[in-house]
Amino acid sequence: MGSCKLLVFLLYQVVPVKVHREGHYVAAVFEHQAILSPNPAALTNRHSALELMNRNLDVYEEQAIAAAKQLIVFPEDGIHGFNFTRTSIFPYLEFVPDPLLLKWNPCREPHLFNDTEVLQRLSCIALRSKMFLVANLGAKQPCKHSNPHCPPDGRYQFNTDVVFSNNGSLVARYRKQNLYFEYAFNIPSEVDYTLFDTPFAGKFGIFTCFDILFYEPAVSLVKKYNVKQVVYPTAWMNQLPLLSAVEIQQAFAVAFNINVLAANIHHPTLGMTGSGIYTPSESFTHYDMESDAGKLIVAEIPVSTPEHQSHPETNARSVENMGHMNFANLPTDYQVCNKEDPKDCCRTAGERDELPLIFYREMMYDNFTLLPLLGIEGNIHVCANTLCCHLSYQRLHLYNELYVLGAFDGLHTVHGTYYVQACVLVKCGSLNYTTCGQEVTDATTVMDFQLWGNFSTTFIFPLLLMSGVAPDVADQLGWRKNYYYMNKRAMSSGLLTAGLYGRWYEKD
């Protein structure tokens, strides 16, 4: 891993920021290459656990000093690491009291509770740097065996985010609701809806990693509590083409018209990178699968997010002109690639047929119905169950790259269970149809397009990813009658993915 002192000098890169303007605030997120236990399943003691965690906290302190702004967000698992068992993680756990029940400044009152050394260190970093600080750690909470939900070892263990104010006080605690194969932790008996107030941007909400794909608590914070600023610690393993970290982070900000401050952990060998500061209209991101160093991102963003730039009513004419096909009827003369016979699907884009070829391919572990883009321009559509996806496109040049329009409408059941409706335009790995759905990171093709579908859910996350895994935002988004659409023109680089990723939460 190298020493943490070496890491410190490799980590610093910021978006140039001057003294912040009125109505704006300056935030930082840090993508941290955590120093990990060489054997997380092995039993250790509290002293050894603190030694490792303090090495990561040394880096946190350096980065907080470097940022020197109003708020900094650190990633999930950044202090203690991951891949623990329930027993082996115990020495790393802190006691985290509920700040709604107790006012406490760990830096100034270090002896109030046992097993709070990490909280004390974080509190002192916030106090010395005079900034709000968000971090993630493991927490323990004793319970009585008379409680029917109490685990056999007599304690709950939670994946926990903590927030400290600029004077070092513990002001918020969030316990992760949607665990991702985290067998060392428990799910809280009631959902935490965690908010905290700041003098520079008002109310913030907080949730963690896998939470972003579910209604509770992420959507509730926005819909029920009217949150406009979200801090988001994560340890996200990228899944292209539809769920890379920067892709879903940007999509959440755009879908709900909010600001998202996302800090991911940095371990490229595990596919973990991708952090950013997002507004509905722009992003400041970091994605690096080559370097072993983390990254500090600092950016000034507006406190208030404007209303969505696109209004469906104003774009009705362009949608209707492009959507001349009937939503309900798939032409019977489309050729179908039989998914039961893989030989039927081994053609390449150079083998043109008179009729469009519909085929099936696994993408993100889901069986998508796909249709290739065969010309420099066209109007095509493809359906899956009740969802029909339409695309009108015009390429600037016809490069040797294969793109497909895809539709999926069903229950996703791998690495989590949740219902998805998705209309996607993706680049394939090669000209062979069998490579469609594979991870691709570079593209040359630039095109103008409009993508739309007749979604049954109102929760649509717009995905737009360009060459180099760089997120972008659409020119126009919105509803027109019973379909949701996305427009994009004048791309600055090649297209990897454009998608409308619908989450039908009621069918989970």
Side-chain angles (χ1 to χ4, degrees):
M1 287 290 180
S3 72
C4 57
K5 290 297 182 185
L6 175 62
L7 282 171
V8 166
F9 294 112
L10 295 174
L11 299 172
Y12 187 60
Q13 180 206 352
V14 301
V15 178
V17 174
K18 300 178 182 179
V19 177
H20 64 274
R21 294 168 287 170
E22 184 178 354
H24 291 66
Y25 68 100
V26 183
V29 301
F30 180 56
E31 181 166 308
H32 175 46
Q33 185 198 28
I35 302 165
L36 303 174
S37 167
N39 188 3
L43 300 182
T44 188
N45 54 45
R46 177 69 173 173
H47 176 77
S48 298
L50 284 171
E51 280 189 341
L52 182 140
M53 292 191 289
N54 274 313
R55 292 174 67 193
N56 286 307
L57 289 166
D58 288 342
V59 181
Y60 279 26
E61 185 164 12
E62 293 282 353
Q63 296 306 312
I65 293 169
K69 300 304 177 185
Q70 291 166 297
L71 180 148
I72 188 167
V73 184
F74 292 103
E76 181 186 26
D77 298 336
I79 296 173
H80 56 275
F82 39 75
N83 292 334
F84 293 95
T85 68
R86 181 173 180 85
T87 303
S88 68
I89 201 173
F90 181 69
Y92 296 84
L93 302 180
E94 297 269 301
F95 174 71
V96 184
D98 186 348
L100 296 178
L101 303 178
L102 173 73
K103 292 184 178 180
W104 180 41
N105 188 310
C107 188
R108 291 174 170 159
E109 304 169 280
H111 304 299
L112 199 57
F113 302 103
N114 292 327
D115 295 331
T116 57
E117 292 91 339
V118 173
L119 292 174
Q120 293 167 33
R121 185 89 189 268
L122 291 168
S123 170
C124 291
I125 293 172
L127 177 61
R128 290 168 188 154
S129 60
K130 296 181 173 57
M131 64 194 305
F132 277 70
L133 183 151
V134 180
N136 174 269
L137 46 77
K140 59 187 177 183
Q141 179 182 324
C143 56
K144 297 180 178 180
H145 290 294
S146 58
N147 177 348
H149 302 293
C150 184
D153 52 19
R155 63 180 181 270
Y156 295 109
Q157 299 181 175
F158 297 115
N159 179 328
T160 304
D161 298 330
V162 289
V163 183
F164 297 89
S165 71
N166 53 6
N167 69 4
S169 296
L170 179 66
V171 294
R173 178 192 73 178
Y174 169 69
R175 299 168 300 177
K176 186 177 180 182
Q177 180 68 27
N178 300 284
L179 300 177
Y180 188 78
F181 301 101
E182 298 166 70
Y183 304 115
F185 293 121
N186 300 108
I187 298 173
S189 57
E190 295 183 358
V191 178
D192 284 352
Y193 301 107
T194 300
L195 310 170
F196 63 94
D197 285 309
T198 68
F200 50 84
K203 181 171 55 180
F204 280 74
I206 184 170
F207 52 85
T208 310
C209 201
F210 202 38
D211 286 332
I212 202 169
L213 291 181
F214 298 90
Y215 194 91
E216 301 293 0
V219 179
S220 278
L221 283 174
V222 178
K223 303 289 285 184
K224 188 184 299 183
Y225 296 93
N226 198 32
V227 164
K228 294 296 184 183
Q229 324 288 332
V230 164
V231 290
Y232 177 61
T234 184
W236 191 275
M237 291 179 285
N238 288 286
Q239 285 190 297
L240 292 165
L242 305 184
L243 288 180
S244 69
V246 293
E247 195 175 13
I248 192 64
Q249 293 161 11
Q250 173 78 48
F252 197 91
V254 172
F256 291 112
N257 201 41
I258 62 172
N259 297 327
V260 175
L261 316 179
N264 197 5
I265 204 163
H266 186 81
H267 285 284
T269 57
L270 300 174
M272 303 171 89
T273 182
S275 304
I277 297 174
Y278 306 86
T279 76
S281 59
E282 64 178 337
S283 60
F284 309 90
T285 63
H286 173 70
Y287 176 95
D288 187 353
M289 288 290 289
E290 304 297 328
S291 170
D292 288 332
K295 189 71 71 176
L296 179 69
I297 305 168
V298 180
E300 180 186 77
I301 58 175
V303 173
S304 299
T305 54
E307 293 301 315
H308 281 300
Q309 297 178 4
S310 65
H311 295 281
E313 294 76 15
T314 63
N315 296 303
R317 181 177 179 182
S318 63
V319 175
E320 288 170 352
N321 287 342
M322 299 175 94
H324 60 272
M325 291 187 179
N326 188 322
F327 278 17
N329 300 314
L330 180 66
T332 57
D333 56 356
Y334 274 24
Q335 293 189 44
V336 176
C337 172
N338 186 356
K339 58 186 174 181
E340 302 300 329
D341 186 357
K343 291 184 294 183
D344 289 348
C345 304
C346 293
R347 314 181 192 194
T348 68
E351 300 175 29
R352 302 287 176 84
D353 295 290
E354 293 183 4
L355 300 175
L357 172 70
I358 291 176
F359 64 105
Y360 303 90
R361 186 63 50 203
E362 186 176 277
M363 186 189 310
M364 311 296 296
Y365 303 103
D366 296 319
N367 189 40
F368 272 74
T369 304
L370 302 171
L371 185 66
L373 283 62
L374 295 179
I376 197 166
E377 62 181 13
N379 293 276
I380 60 176
H381 77 268
V382 67
C383 299
N385 292 335
T386 63
L387 176 68
C388 284
C389 304
H390 299 249
L391 176 70
S392 180
Y393 68 94
Q394 181 169 10
R395 304 189 233 206
L396 270 64
H397 303 283
L398 198 57
Y399 292 105
N400 212 26
E401 296 179 321
L402 173 62
Y403 286 80
V404 291
L405 172 66
F408 177 75
D409 180 3
L411 189 67
H412 175 91
T413 58
V414 178
H415 302 157
T417 302
Y418 46 92
Y419 202 98
V420 174
Q421 286 190 317
C423 293
V424 298
L425 167 61
V426 298
K427 183 195 172 191
C428 302
S430 73
L431 294 182
N432 194 306
Y433 292 162
T434 61
T435 67
C436 297
Q438 293 181 357
E439 295 197 355
V440 179
T441 58
D442 296 296
T444 304
T445 297
V446 172
M447 69 177 81
D448 296 339
F449 72 86
Q450 182 162 53
L451 174 68
W452 69 101
N454 61 330
F455 291 88
S456 302
T457 174
T458 58
F459 296 100
I460 314 297
F461 297 90
L463 311 175
L464 192 55
L465 202 62
M466 316 309 287
S467 187
V469 193
D472 201 354
V473 292
D475 297 333
Q476 295 169 319
L477 295 164
W479 286 96
R480 174 64 181 173
K481 296 182 179 177
N482 66 332
Y483 53 85
Y484 192 89
Y485 68 91
M486 167 197 288
N487 288 351
K488 184 64 180 178
R489 300 182 185 278
M491 295 177 182
S492 58
S493 60
L495 176 68
L496 291 180
T497 301
L500 300 173
Y501 193 83
R503 280 286 287 111
W504 199 343
Y505 299 110
E506 294 85 354
K507 298 192 73 170
D508 285 355

